Amino acid sequence: MDFFDVISQRRSIRKYKDDPVPRDMIEQIMETARLAPSWHNNQCWRFIVVTDPESKEAVHDAVSDENPCKKGLKQAPVAILACASPEDSGRRDGKDYYLVDVGIALEHVCLAAKALGLGTCWIGVIDEKLLREKFGVPENFRVVAMTPLGYPDKDPSQRPRKDLSELAFREKWGSPLTDPR
Ligand SMILES: Cc1cc2nc3c(=O)[nH]c(=O)nc-3n(C[C@H](O)[C@H](O)[C@H](O)COP(=O)(O)O)c2cc1C
């Protein structure tokens, strides 16, 4: 798939088929997380790929009933937990770069999955304590987010986005990039 098509056609997928995802595909996807950029190249992230049905139950329990992706998490054959160590990344001016590092790496995963015909959905609101205990995540790591991974059972339409003129400026704040020069 063309890179720009991957970006424009990626969606948050909340309905999955139960077809298994081949192991080599999972490894190919996770390889793209390994290659992500990070603060001082410290690679503060760790990922837990969960396929065992009993463990997936715990992942499901870590998301509230109100979460729109809860059902999808149960349907998809794989869940990926994205963890990161704040002390292995930077903190400057109140900005915690471990969140940036792991965010980039997890988005690599989402885009690679799309390129292979698979779906993902970022899930940010999680019961971190439950996941930490169940999966033996060390004290110095945070569980930042997770995603289901599987074959989409729905092709959602594109969610609205702000116009480029609202968010990209030329030379100074407020001067839309897209304005004719
Ligand atoms: C940091 C972050 C946390 C998110 N958490 C959730 C979540 O808990 N549940 C969910 O269904 N979607 C979650 N999403 C997905 C967003 O709702 C989704 O990306 C947005 O609505 C745009 O839709 P799209 O991804 O299909 O373009 C999250 C996305 C991000 C980046």
Side-chain angles (χ1 to χ4, degrees), residues 10-14 63 67-70 107 121-126 145 156-161:
R10 183 213 55 80
R11 305 280 182 272
S12 291
I13 300 298
R14 299 185 176 88
V63 173
N67 196 302
C69 200
K70 186 166 173 103
E107 188 59 12
C121 181
W122 270 81
I123 299 181
V125 184
I126 51 181
S157 49
Q158 191 169 37
R159 300 291 317 282
R161 291 293 196 269

Side-chain angles (χ1 to χ4, degrees), residues 144-157:
V144 177
M146 62 187 180
T147 177
L149 175 73
Y151 289 94
D153 197 20
K154 206 176 173 183
D155 185 14
S157 49

Side-chain angles (χ1 to χ4, degrees), residues 18-163:
D18 60 7
D19 304 3
V21 179
R23 191 186 164 139
D24 59 342
M25 250 190 195
I26 296 175
E27 287 177 15
Q28 190 181 3
I29 289 168
M30 296 317 298
E31 174 69 8
T32 70
R34 192 177 77 83
L35 297 176
S38 61
W39 176 277
H40 282 222
N41 196 24
N42 277 2
Q43 303 156 64
C44 71
W45 49 66
R46 299 292 183 274
F47 295 90
I48 305 175
V49 177
V50 183
T51 55
D52 171 67
E54 189 254 330
S55 300
K56 278 200 63 251
E57 206 54 52
V59 171
H60 185 248
D61 290 345
V63 173
S64 83
D65 291 345
E66 288 74 47
N67 196 302
C69 200
K70 186 166 173 103
K71 233 185 190 165
L73 207 48
K74 199 170 188 113
Q75 295 163 340
V78 184
I80 300 169
L81 313 191
C83 310
S85 162
E87 69 198 33
D88 287 341
S89 187
R91 180 166 217 275
R92 296 283 188 283
D93 292 340
K95 289 184 269 188
D96 285 313
Y97 287 96
Y98 78 96
L99 296 170
V100 179
D101 295 340
V102 74
I104 296 169
L106 185 58
E107 188 59 12
H108 275 203
V109 165
C110 296
L111 295 174
K114 174 66 195 175
L116 294 173
L118 294 162
T120 56
C121 181
W122 270 81
I123 299 181
V125 184
I126 51 181
D127 184 338
E128 188 177 3
K129 188 169 175 283
L130 185 157
L131 293 169
R132 187 180 280 294
E133 282 166 12
K134 174 71 190 175
F135 295 99
V137 178
E139 281 286 306
N140 53 328
F141 277 80
R142 300 294 309 265
V143 187
V144 177
M146 62 187 180
T147 177
L149 175 73
Y151 289 94
D153 197 20
K154 206 176 173 183
D155 185 14
S157 49
Q158 191 169 37
R159 300 291 317 282
R161 291 293 196 269
K162 292 183 170 67
D163 197 81

